[in-house]
Amino acid sequence: MKDLFKGTIAPLNWLSMVSIVVFFVHHLKKPSDARKVAVWGVTLSGAELLLTVVVSVAVFGPQLTKLYTYPSFSLVGLVKISNFVERVDVLYISIWICTMYVKMACLVYAGYLAFSRSLRLKSDKPLLVIFGIYMILTSLFSFPKQSDLSYYIGYLDPFGGLIANVLLPFILWVLLLFMRNKTLNREG
């Protein structure tokens, strides 16, 4: 049970990023469908993660799967379609890189919107330069070794992500409810 709990922390962190949908609500044709979009996104992402884990454990077993850094990549490397298509892993990596690029672009856009709206900036141009410099410096100096990245992803990122994506929004929601009730009591 302990290993199962530890294994759910990282995917829970990834799925908690659904809060990013709030920043894209104004881009939807029907902003009222944002909740449905978020629920479908979490459901499909969770199903994909579950399928990947089940297939990886079924093929490699639980002990060998733990040793792989990216078991899904190792799994795709085994796929061969007759003698015609043998390097499916190249296609998989291409799709993976594209989706990571889209994810990072969405996160940077949401961060940019959050800062520019929170600071009520009249001109957003300086903030774009600051965000660009921050991204370049972060990508160059954050994780000089693969072991540093693995440690961060395994031990630090899940809790930081859950704090930022679940605990902080919950605290803000409670504070806003308290302030709204206080305002209603004062007016009423």
Side-chain angles (χ1 to χ4, degrees):
M1 196 64 175
K2 179 181 165 187
D3 289 339
L4 183 64
F5 177 72
K6 283 178 14 183
T8 59
I9 292 173
L12 183 63
N13 179 28
W14 302 329
L15 295 176
S16 72
M17 287 185 189
V18 74
S19 61
I20 228 68
V21 170
V22 172
F23 292 98
F24 297 101
V25 169
H26 65 278
H27 292 295
L28 295 173
K29 283 184 181 178
K30 296 180 188 175
S32 60
D33 288 346
R35 183 177 295 175
K36 189 175 9 173
V37 168
V39 168
W40 272 106
V42 169
T43 303
L44 293 174
S45 298
E48 187 270 331
L49 282 170
L50 181 65
L51 180 67
T52 302
V53 169
V54 167
V55 172
S56 295
V57 170
V59 171
F60 298 126
Q63 298 303 323
L64 193 55
T65 302
K66 285 195 292 189
L67 297 177
Y68 285 121
T69 305
Y70 301 107
S72 57
F73 179 68
S74 302
L75 187 65
V76 171
L78 298 174
V79 174
K80 291 182 183 178
I81 303 172
S82 116
N83 287 331
F84 181 65
V85 179
E86 293 184 3
R87 297 293 302 199
V88 180
D89 51 345
V90 174
L91 178 64
Y92 179 78
I93 277 291
S94 300
I95 293 170
W96 191 8
I97 289 172
C98 288
T99 57
M100 291 308 292
Y101 178 76
V102 169
K103 176 184 174 182
M104 292 308 299
C106 289
L107 290 173
V108 168
Y109 178 69
Y112 167 74
L113 282 179
F115 274 102
S116 65
R117 290 182 180 168
S118 296
L119 299 174
R120 297 181 182 171
L121 297 176
K122 293 180 182 174
S123 174
D124 295 342
K125 304 295 184 216
L127 193 59
L128 285 174
V129 173
I130 292 169
F131 259 68
I133 292 170
Y134 175 74
M135 287 186 311
I136 290 169
L137 292 176
T138 301
S139 65
L140 289 175
F141 300 111
S142 288
F143 305 108
K145 295 182 279 187
Q146 176 65 30
S147 59
D148 295 340
L149 178 62
S150 297
Y151 178 78
Y152 177 78
I153 289 172
Y155 297 102
L156 303 176
D157 185 46
F159 298 106
L162 288 174
I163 289 169
N165 295 325
V166 177
L167 186 63
L168 183 62
F170 179 74
I171 290 170
L172 290 173
W173 177 68
V174 169
L175 287 173
L176 287 173
L177 280 177
F178 177 72
M179 289 173 61
R180 189 177 109 195
N181 288 339
K182 191 174 180 180
T183 305
L184 288 175
N185 288 339
R186 209 176 328 153
E187 292 174 0

